[in-house]
Amino acid sequence: MTRRTIEAPAKINLGLEILGRRPDGYHEIRTVMCTISLCDTISFEPTGADADEFDFKPATSYVPTESNLVARTLQAMRRAGVGIPPQRVTIRKRIPAAAGLGGASSDAAATLLIFEEEIGSNGADIDALAAGLGSDVPFFLHSPAALASGRGEILQPLPPPDPDRWIVLATPRLAIENKTSGMYAAVDPAWWSSGARVEAVASALPSLPSKAPFNVFERALLRMYPQLEKVPRAMVDAGVAFAALTGAGPTFYGLVPGEEDAREIAERIRTAGIEVNVARVGWKR
Ligand code: C5P
């Protein structure tokens, strides 16, 4: 077996509603997820060592093994009976971590896809492995756009969005411990809703929203961190039509007609000292 390399795209959420709390402690959600062309690159190579080895590039993106979802994916496959020898794993991180862009979940799904043949020939179930690793992981195994329900793992494929649209992503620096569970806990049940707004966004695809789709986490995030209000404001001042929150944040995005516009707007937002990325909407494997 030689070195194998795979791209792992980020996602954005085109709206996110919480419908209620489930008996298992998770929340019932509706969201539209859509891949974008901002990708991590992961390579795997069998090593003579007796344990997996991880090389994060840049080194500052290092994630400890116990919370590194690629490490946990390799372990989960082995527990399911898939014989994978110790690997040297190189992860070129481009997707900001814990930012609402699904980077860790996408890395996990890419790891499953690299070993898809081994999973199949050992009779293991790739979808079950994905759902066991995290609510967002199954999405990255499948289509470039989907309506997600349940805890995020029940997926209805949607037409991919207009490929000529670009996206500007602004990710404020914010280290939130156990971000996802903390953000779910920060949502007031009075803000729960029916899912109808997200379903309307889903029905409109391949057309993308012309105003910020409702994301219940925005109110929770801005209540906890009012200093973040300057981020969507800086984006609108820089020329995006709207700034919307992805996932549980803290990344805000704006949709832009073309690459040149997107790069100019990104440059203006960067002058406000915020990390900015530019990508194309709707990345396909
Ligand atoms: O599934 P994942 O590991 O990404 O979820 C992290 C945490 O986020 C869960 O432990 C849970 O507290 C919360 N969560 C939730 N409802 C969801 C997804 C996640 O409450 N639909």
Side-chain angles (χ1 to χ4, degrees), residues 187-235:
V187 171
D188 187 325
W191 308 340
W192 292 350
S193 50
S194 69
R197 282 173 283 187
V198 163
E199 279 158 21
V201 171
S203 309
L205 278 175
S207 292
L208 286 160
S210 55
K211 60 184 176 46
F214 174 77
N215 180 338
V216 69
F217 287 116
E218 182 167 344
R219 194 163 164 187
L221 185 78
L222 295 178
R223 189 164 73 168
M224 285 165 79
Y225 305 98
Q227 71 274 23
L228 295 185
E229 271 167 29
K230 70 166 195 274
V231 178
R233 216 179 305 128
M235 294 175 77

Side-chain angles (χ1 to χ4, degrees), residues 43 45 47-55 74 86-90:
S43 60
E45 200 172 16
T47 156
D50 50 12
D52 298 322
E53 293 168 6
F54 292 88
D55 184 11
L74 290 169
Q87 302 285 310
R88 163 175 286 282
V89 186
T90 306

Side-chain angles (χ1 to χ4, degrees), residues 25-27 29 133-135 150-152 180-181 184:
Y26 282 85
H27 292 80
I29 64 165
L133 287 158
S135 305
R151 61 183 172 91
T180 308
S181 54
Y184 272 100

Side-chain angles (χ1 to χ4, degrees), residues 18 20-22 24-29 72 105 131-137 149-153 178-182 184-185 217:
I18 297 180
R21 209 175 145 82
R22 300 156 32 129
D24 63 4
Y26 282 85
H27 292 80
E28 176 70 25
I29 64 165
R72 282 168 42 202
S105 300
L133 287 158
S135 305
D136 283 354
V137 180
S149 56
R151 61 183 172 91
E153 86 291 15
N178 297 319
K179 189 204 73 181
T180 308
S181 54
Y184 272 100
F217 287 116

Side-chain angles (χ1 to χ4, degrees), residues 41-230:
T41 307
I42 315 178
S43 60
F44 297 84
E45 200 172 16
T47 156
D50 50 12
D52 298 322
E53 293 168 6
F54 292 88
D55 184 11
F56 282 86
K57 292 179 191 306
T60 47
S61 61
Y62 171 78
V63 180
T65 307
E66 62 277 10
S67 49
N68 165 356
L69 212 48
V70 173
R72 282 168 42 202
T73 304
L74 290 169
Q75 289 156 9
M77 286 190 288
R78 292 181 186 124
R79 271 198 310 276
V82 184
I84 299 170
Q87 302 285 310
R88 163 175 286 282
V89 186
T90 306
I91 307 181
R92 173 76 182 88
K93 286 298 292 179
R94 295 185 193 86
I95 307 171
L101 295 168
S105 300
S106 186
D107 292 354
T111 305
L112 293 171
L113 290 171
I114 276 275
F115 294 102
E116 192 169 13
E117 235 179 81
E118 286 90 334
I119 292 172
S121 58
N122 282 275
D125 178 348
I126 193 166
D127 289 293
L129 281 166
L133 287 158
S135 305
D136 283 354
V137 180
F139 165 71
F140 290 102
L141 292 180
H142 299 290
S143 55
L147 173 65
S149 56
R151 61 183 172 91
E153 86 291 15
I154 302 172
L155 300 163
Q156 181 190 317
L158 295 172
D162 176 356
D164 295 330
R165 295 293 286 280
W166 285 72
I167 182 166
V168 178
L169 304 148
T171 305
R173 223 175 294 266
L174 187 71
I176 314 175
E177 193 97 356
N178 297 319
K179 189 204 73 181
T180 308
S181 54
M183 288 304 301
Y184 272 100
V187 171
D188 187 325
W191 308 340
W192 292 350
S193 50
S194 69
R197 282 173 283 187
V198 163
E199 279 158 21
V201 171
S203 309
L205 278 175
S207 292
L208 286 160
S210 55
K211 60 184 176 46
F214 174 77
N215 180 338
V216 69
F217 287 116
E218 182 167 344
R219 194 163 164 187
L221 185 78
L222 295 178
R223 189 164 73 168
M224 285 165 79
Y225 305 98
Q227 71 274 23
L228 295 185
E229 271 167 29
K230 70 166 195 274

